[in-house]
Amino acid sequence: MEYPNLVYSQMGPQLSNNIMIQNAMIRGYDGNGLFEQCLHLFDEMPHRGLKPHNFTYPYVLNSCSKLGWFRKGKQVHCRIVKGGFESHPSDCRIMEPHDFALCDIQSARKLFDVMPERDIVSWNSMITGYAEVRDVGNARDLFERMGEKDVVSWTVMIRVYADAGDLVTARKIFETMPCKNVVSWNSMISCYTQHGQHKEALNLFVHMQSRSEVPDNYTFGSVLSACLQLGALEFGKWIHYLIEDWSQFGAILGTALVDISVAINGRTEDAVKIYSLMQKKGLRPNDFTFTAALFACSHGGLLKEGERIFYSMEKEFGVEPKLEHYGCIIDLLSRNGQLEEAVRLVREMPYKPDIAIWGALLGGCRERSHLKLAEEVIEKATELEANESGVYVLLSNMHASVGQWPEAQSAREKMEEKKIWKNTGHSNVFAS
């Protein structure tokens, strides 16, 4: 907007006070995220002798919504109604989901009800509003009253029922749809994954493939997530092979691929290669990407790569490491003989260590037979009052390994005193 601003500032009153120019600037400000400037120019219009109309209001309301200026948004809605613009389709279509945050659903319904003509966009927007507030009854009522329904109408209703926990009805609506697109398939698949029905998500993806529907990044992301939850690694391999050029699908899918590479026979080097390729393709990693990449480095013993990734987070990408990122790098350092560096990070990090971090340090102590530090770690870990048997078992085994049997027994007795018991391990098997 620098050049348009410059041109606008050079205009005299005769030109700058033209309604078309004002609307063009308002639209430009809104479209470029300059929401306050958009509203400031809108507020100046009466002083310039200009009246806003149906080509002004949509961008003004969007700016109100983006800024969270709810009262301002309601004032603008009132001006629309008083000015008679509620009957104009372009103004009524502004009732997108985000507008219901600034205009309560009752006010939106009143505006909807007074419209002399309602097109399919208006009906879909109103149903979406009810979906946002999880009002299944009103959403269903409007859906059934609609004369014409499009793929958006059906897909919104899938989400309405899924959000209410009724996946059976959501699936019935999905199967009843006369025409489906990739968004419809994604909606139903993600409904299953979000409600923990991962096997159903994978089965639906197989059905999608049999219908020759082309998946996108959201499809693959949901399906790979389901694979990881189920431990369905062979299925995950198949998904991996289906993606001819994964770089086009963005950071979300890239993160999922990093995860699945680690899960498939511990292919940690492949995971790090994918992480590096993401950057070469111009994809910015997010919190989850860093967690997945650091986890891969930790379990693959890739010390230099792990350190490079960790220290690049804030320096190169402006992402502040969270506790889970510190946990991964501390585990990596502890596993690879860098116990002093791991201890330094624990002392300097801006978070209180959790049981996973103390456990990682304790594992490093075992590798170095550092009993004194191990006992300090145990003391810190017990302050968390976490019922974790692993730290006591590990300390006991460390003492036993060097013949310190009384100390080993003492560690076991402390675990029993705190009524902490070692659970029997178990695993899940996915059968396709």
Side-chain angles (χ1 to χ4, degrees):
M1 286 294 291
E2 289 184 11
Y3 182 70
N5 269 332
L6 178 62
V7 174
Y8 181 72
S9 66
Q10 300 295 321
M11 290 180 177
Q14 286 185 325
L15 288 176
S16 63
N17 290 345
N18 180 282
I19 185 64
M20 293 181 62
I21 291 175
Q22 291 285 306
N23 282 341
M25 292 300 296
I26 284 174
R27 180 178 181 178
Y29 283 137
D30 177 66
N32 287 277
L34 303 172
F35 306 119
E36 290 191 30
Q37 290 93 320
C38 172
L39 297 182
H40 176 71
L41 199 55
F42 171 73
D43 290 337
E44 282 189 349
M45 291 182 74
H47 304 293
R48 296 172 179 264
L50 300 173
K51 291 184 178 181
H53 52 59
N54 52 291
F55 291 106
T56 313
Y57 287 121
Y59 310 107
V60 173
L61 272 173
N62 185 64
S63 289
C64 290
S65 177
K66 296 296 184 183
L67 290 169
W69 291 8
F70 306 147
R71 181 174 297 179
K72 178 71 173 178
K74 287 188 176 183
Q75 291 172 356
V76 175
H77 266 293
C78 290
R79 290 184 65 174
I80 291 173
V81 175
K82 289 179 180 179
F85 292 109
E86 76 276 9
S87 63
H88 199 288
S90 67
D91 278 317
C92 296
R93 289 177 185 176
I94 57 180
M95 297 189 299
E96 296 298 329
H98 56 260
D99 290 312
F100 292 100
L102 63 89
C103 175
D104 60 74
I105 194 70
Q106 291 83 5
S107 299
R109 182 58 185 267
K110 287 178 182 177
L111 181 61
F112 176 81
D113 287 340
V114 299
M115 292 171 61
E117 294 182 10
R118 307 182 190 100
D119 61 9
I120 194 168
V121 178
S122 306
W123 284 90
N124 286 343
S125 296
M126 194 66 236
I127 293 173
T128 301
Y130 282 123
E132 290 291 310
V133 298
R134 301 196 175 189
D135 187 339
V136 177
N138 275 311
R140 181 180 61 240
D141 176 64
L142 283 182
F143 179 74
E144 291 174 350
R145 287 169 50 194
M146 289 181 71
E148 177 190 2
K149 300 179 179 70
D150 63 7
V151 68
V152 176
S153 318
W154 291 90
T155 302
V156 170
M157 287 306 297
I158 291 172
R159 178 59 60 183
V160 166
Y161 281 101
D163 287 346
D166 188 355
L167 292 179
V168 174
T169 304
R171 182 61 183 265
K172 286 180 180 177
I173 290 174
F174 175 78
E175 296 296 343
T176 308
M177 290 180 68
C179 182
K180 302 179 181 71
N181 62 13
V182 68
V183 177
S184 313
W185 288 92
N186 289 347
S187 181
M188 195 66 239
I189 290 172
S190 67
C191 286
Y192 280 133
T193 58
Q194 288 168 10
H195 286 80
Q197 297 190 21
H198 304 294
K199 187 173 182 179
E200 286 79 2
L202 298 189
N203 289 336
L204 186 57
F205 177 75
V206 172
H207 182 46
M208 181 183 184
Q209 289 289 293
S210 71
R211 296 281 297 273
S212 299
E213 295 284 349
V214 180
D216 62 11
N217 58 325
Y218 295 103
T219 320
F220 287 128
S222 295
V223 173
L224 285 172
S225 173
C227 291
L228 289 170
Q229 293 295 326
L230 292 168
L233 302 185
E234 290 302 317
F235 202 111
K237 286 183 182 179
W238 177 50
I239 301 299
H240 200 143
Y241 294 137
L242 287 176
I243 305 170
E244 296 179 358
D245 181 13
W246 67 267
S247 63
Q248 65 177 304
F249 292 119
I252 295 174
L253 182 56
T255 301
L257 286 169
V258 171
D259 281 334
I260 204 72
S261 294
V262 176
I264 300 173
N265 300 322
R267 291 165 58 179
T268 54
E269 291 187 2
D270 285 350
V272 175
K273 286 179 182 177
I274 291 173
Y275 168 81
S276 299
L277 187 56
M278 285 176 63
Q279 295 177 63
K280 290 180 181 178
K281 295 292 184 179
L283 303 176
R284 287 186 64 82
N286 56 29
D287 282 355
F288 302 105
T289 315
F290 285 118
T291 301
L294 289 170
F295 179 83
C297 291
S298 177
H299 285 262
L302 306 175
L303 182 60
K304 290 184 178 179
E305 279 297 315
E307 288 184 307
R308 183 185 65 79
I309 291 170
F310 179 79
Y311 289 109
S312 72
M313 289 181 64
E314 198 159 15
K315 185 177 180 181
E316 296 181 23
F317 300 100
V319 177
E320 184 177 351
K322 295 181 178 178
L323 183 61
E324 56 265 31
H325 302 123
Y326 277 100
C328 288
I329 191 65
I330 288 167
D331 183 58
L332 173 61
L333 293 167
S334 300
R335 287 171 181 261
N336 291 276
Q338 303 296 314
L339 192 57
E340 291 76 12
E341 178 66 11
V343 171
R344 183 189 67 79
L345 267 182
V346 171
R347 289 173 178 165
E348 293 180 359
M349 69 180 189
Y351 304 100
K352 185 177 180 180
D354 60 6
I355 194 67
I357 287 179
W358 291 126
L361 280 180
L362 194 58
C365 293
R366 179 185 61 182
E367 296 294 327
R368 297 276 297 276
S369 299
H370 202 317
L371 291 173
K372 183 177 179 181
L373 180 58
E375 290 175 346
E376 292 177 10
V377 169
I378 287 289
E379 185 179 346
K380 293 289 186 181
T382 55
E383 292 176 4
L384 297 176
E385 298 182 355
N387 295 326
E388 294 284 344
S389 63
V391 290
Y392 288 98
V393 172
L394 187 54
L395 181 61
S396 175
N397 292 342
M398 287 174 63
H399 282 298
S401 68
V402 292
Q404 296 180 353
W405 303 109
E407 289 83 355
Q409 182 62 29
S410 175
R412 294 275 180 174
E413 289 174 354
K414 285 181 181 179
M415 185 174 72
E416 293 176 2
E417 286 174 10
K418 293 179 176 289
K419 296 182 180 180
I420 300 172
W421 311 106
K422 185 176 184 297
N423 295 323
T424 303
H426 65 277
S427 60
N428 296 320
V429 177
F430 172 73
S432 58

